[in-house]
Amino acid sequence: MPDSLTSPDILHDLVAAALRAGADAAEAVTAERASLSVGVRNGALEDVEREESRDLGLRVFVGRRQASVSASDLSSATRARLIERAVAMARLAPEDPYSALVPADRLARGPFPDLQLFDPSERSAAELEQVAAETELVALAVPGIARSEGGHASTASSRWRLVTSEGFDGAYGATGFSLGAGVIAEKDGAMERGGESRSTRWLSDLPDAASIGAEAGRRAIERLSPRKIASTTAPVIFDRRIAGQVLSPLLGAISGPSIARGISFLKDRMGQAVLPRGVSLVEDPFRLRGLGSAPFDDEGSPVQARNLVDDGVLTTWLLNASAAAQLGLESTGHASRGLAGPPGVSTHNVHLTPGDLDRDGLMKQAGTGLIITSMFGPSLNANTGDWSAGVSGLWFENGEIAWPVSEITVAGNLIDLWTRMVPGSDLEFRSSFNSPSLLIDGVAIAGK
């Protein structure tokens, strides 16, 4: 049988050979990926990129010592050298009392659910070029748009498989389709950038060129003629597109490795309120066509839908096998790994539960304040939760947008900010971490 990642035996053979070579335990992973992306500028083809890869990773354990190696050459000779090198490295590695594979009785068991992650639809390079050009053309047609930064479209497919000596064998495939454009608006010699892009698992879920192009143009136009404002304290609304950047540090702060090392401003907050009452942070690995969906984690542990924060109260750490062992707990199914190296942790589909008011309603409730539409250079003290970020956006007065603003900074302690936030009703599932717009009263704003 030819060497192939699709072979039903290649990973089992690799694990068995590693055990014969002296490993006490082993796991093997394979990843296949194919992608095609096209970029246009001013209606002309600018670039075409095609990628096809097949890669293999092996992690072995000798006692409590571990090592991992990877390769893209999948020949029998290369696999033999891979095993020899991995076992030799593990014998020389320092002992890690918490390193081990997930035991057989804690592994996820199939059959695994069909999460509709793979769409058999295809787009050729010509089709990608056409839809990218259409998106760019619509964006350029928005009054006030002066030039293009390009349109882009892509398609990709991938397959991941994991086999361990503890008896796990699981695989799943996924696809992705994306479309976007960037443009520059100009007024009185001043220019502002804006853009829009979307990514989905299924082609039929991807918004059309007209809506993406029009939104790209609108976002550039709304930034024109920004003003600077004096330093103040005022209500701030984080637009839903960037609200996740205010909430995502929560995931890092409940990461098992961070808790085990004691480097987290939430390390003493288990079972305590970290969000307002009535607000939950929901994780759902089984969302159909979700960008963060998975039938099992990257160590073969089962995943489950849960509220990471329930009714404002923190309920769990994010644990892989190693972090769980350090804390005397069990894995929560949050292991994440590449082809080489020990696993880290990550979540699956996460969203904040929405409130009752849309963004306009939040503006009316706040009266006067700042809507943040873009953010850059966030800074976080992992031990205290003190946070700041450079931002730009829109100033509003009497519940109505007044003018764009730029070159400002917002700052505060995240625990304080989170417990005072009011979620909007405009939740939209665009990525693997989604939030509605968030209103927080009395935020420190540093201006001119």
Side-chain angles (χ1 to χ4, degrees), residues 86-102:
V87 173
M89 290 168 58
R91 286 174 173 150
L92 297 174
E95 286 197 1
D96 179 353
Y98 306 111
S99 67
L101 295 179
V102 175

Side-chain angles (χ1 to χ4, degrees), residues 57-107:
L58 174 68
R59 184 164 66 128
V60 302
F61 296 81
V62 176
R64 289 295 182 175
R65 307 172 190 269
Q66 65 173 311
S68 63
V69 291
S70 63
S72 54
D73 174 4
L74 308 180
S75 66
S76 297
T78 296
R79 296 201 303 269
R81 288 194 299 271
L82 209 66
I83 294 166
E84 181 182 1
R85 187 181 310 124
V87 173
M89 290 168 58
R91 286 174 173 150
L92 297 174
E95 286 197 1
D96 179 353
Y98 306 111
S99 67
L101 295 179
V102 175
D105 61 349
R106 297 180 188 174
L107 289 168

Side-chain angles (χ1 to χ4, degrees), residues 12-347:
H12 289 283
D13 290 348
L14 194 68
V15 167
L19 298 181
R20 291 195 300 269
D24 297 312
E27 66 177 9
V29 295
T30 54
E32 294 179 88
R33 175 176 169 81
S35 66
L36 176 63
S37 62
V38 172
V40 301
R41 187 186 295 267
N42 297 319
L45 181 65
E46 187 171 58
D47 59 75
V48 178
E49 294 184 6
R50 184 185 297 272
E51 175 196 355
E52 292 186 8
S53 62
R54 301 190 309 162
D55 299 291
L56 174 70
L58 174 68
R59 184 164 66 128
V60 302
F61 296 81
V62 176
R64 289 295 182 175
R65 307 172 190 269
Q66 65 173 311
S68 63
V69 291
S70 63
S72 54
D73 174 4
L74 308 180
S75 66
S76 297
T78 296
R79 296 201 303 269
R81 288 194 299 271
L82 209 66
I83 294 166
E84 181 182 1
R85 187 181 310 124
V87 173
M89 290 168 58
R91 286 174 173 150
L92 297 174
E95 286 197 1
D96 179 353
Y98 306 111
S99 67
L101 295 179
V102 175
D105 61 349
R106 297 180 188 174
L107 289 168
R109 298 297 179 187
F112 299 112
D114 179 8
L115 302 178
Q116 298 182 19
L117 303 182
F118 190 90
D119 178 7
S121 301
E122 295 183 357
R123 268 184 165 171
S124 66
E127 290 170 327
L128 292 172
E129 179 184 356
Q130 179 182 354
V131 73
E134 290 174 0
T135 306
E136 180 193 46
L137 187 63
V138 171
L140 283 170
V142 174
I145 297 300
R147 65 194 68 176
S148 172
E149 292 197 309
H152 56 86
S154 69
T155 178
S157 64
S158 62
R159 180 172 172 80
W160 167 271
R161 185 178 176 206
L162 168 69
V163 169
T164 79
S165 57
E166 291 294 321
F168 183 82
D169 186 348
Y172 62 95
T175 50
F177 300 86
S178 71
L179 181 62
V183 288
I184 298 175
E186 185 174 2
K187 183 178 180 182
D188 300 328
M191 294 180 289
E192 293 290 337
R193 287 184 169 89
E196 169 71 339
S197 64
R198 292 294 301 272
S199 297
T200 59
R201 290 289 186 201
W202 282 60
L203 180 58
S204 60
D205 294 333
L206 191 66
D208 60 22
S211 61
I212 292 178
E215 181 64 11
R218 186 197 69 78
R219 287 173 60 80
I221 293 297
E222 76 174 3
R223 298 169 182 253
L224 283 171
S225 304
R227 304 184 189 181
K228 297 180 181 180
I229 59 175
S231 297
T232 185
T233 298
V236 168
I237 297 173
F238 294 88
D239 182 80
R240 66 184 180 186
R241 293 171 181 270
I242 54 92
Q245 296 182 53
V246 185
L247 288 169
S248 58
L250 189 152
L251 302 182
I254 64 173
S255 161
S258 296
I259 299 300
R261 293 194 303 268
I263 306 172
S264 169
F265 60 95
L266 295 182
K267 65 179 183 291
D268 299 319
R269 294 278 179 158
M270 179 60 68
Q272 300 181 28
V274 295
L275 298 179
R277 186 170 184 177
V279 178
S280 296
L281 193 63
V282 180
E283 180 182 32
D284 182 6
F286 306 117
R287 181 180 302 132
L288 298 182
R289 306 187 183 186
L291 292 177
S293 298
F296 50 84
D297 82 351
D298 287 357
E299 290 180 312
S301 290
V303 294
Q304 68 179 79
R306 70 180 85 207
N307 288 357
L308 306 178
V309 178
D310 185 49
D311 195 22
V313 175
L314 180 62
T315 66
T316 185
W317 306 130
L318 308 178
L319 303 174
N320 58 21
S322 175
Q326 291 181 68
L327 296 171
L329 301 170
E330 292 189 8
S331 172
T332 56
H334 288 104
S336 174
R337 60 164 297 178
L339 291 168
V345 299
S346 71
T347 53

